Amino acid sequence: IKDWKDALNRVQMVLTATIKQFSSAFITGYCLGSFWSIISPPVSILMNRGAVWGLDFGFLAAMFNGGNMVVDLFFSQTKDQQKVQLWHVVLRNFLLAIYFARNKTIPRMIRSAVMYGG
């Protein structure tokens, strides 16, 4: 990163791509969840299955895409592709552990992230 303007451009690129990925996956999850709601009874009165599935699909896709872009940003000068791929896996597992432990306590989330992240 050369200067603050370059840093802002890179952050904007990461945010734009992550938001696009979230919205695309949300629409896919919403359509699949809505279709599944037609086949089976709804989950609750307040929130339909399409919205729940859409949020899950969207957050997972945004985490994968954003994490990969952040790793690429930090290791953009590295010629060692094995190192870059290793960090892709470590960050993805770290984020997934936090995401799947989101309904538990903070210490359990941290424990899961450390255990599965590396």
Side-chain angles (χ1 to χ4, degrees):
I1 300 175
K2 299 170 187 153
D3 57 358
W4 66 272
K5 203 168 196 173
D6 184 40
L8 285 177
N9 285 337
R10 289 180 186 215
V11 168
Q12 178 188 9
M13 180 181 64
V14 169
L15 288 176
T16 303
T18 303
I19 290 169
K20 285 180 182 179
Q21 192 69 29
F22 174 84
S23 59
S24 172
F26 177 83
I27 291 168
T28 302
Y30 186 83
C31 291
L32 288 172
S34 297
F35 176 73
W36 193 258
S37 292
I38 293 170
I39 297 171
S40 63
V43 176
S44 73
I45 297 170
L46 297 176
M47 209 167 176
N48 68 8
R49 187 174 281 141
V52 172
W53 283 24
L55 289 173
D56 274 344
F57 278 48
F59 281 123
L60 286 172
M63 279 191 328
F64 284 140
N65 187 52
N68 285 339
M69 291 189 76
V70 166
V71 168
D72 288 339
L73 181 69
F74 280 111
F75 292 105
S76 62
Q77 303 299 323
T78 304
K79 301 290 184 205
D80 186 11
Q81 287 301 314
Q82 282 185 326
K83 186 176 185 179
V84 174
Q85 290 301 319
L86 173 69
W87 280 107
H88 278 283
V89 172
V90 167
L91 185 61
R92 180 181 64 226
N93 290 345
F94 182 81
L95 292 172
L96 279 174
I98 290 173
Y99 182 77
F100 287 127
R102 68 188 181 272
N103 294 331
K104 297 180 174 51
T105 62
I106 299 291
R108 295 245 350 225
M109 287 173 64
I110 293 171
R111 180 179 172 271
S112 294
V114 169
M115 187 168 63
Y116 292 113

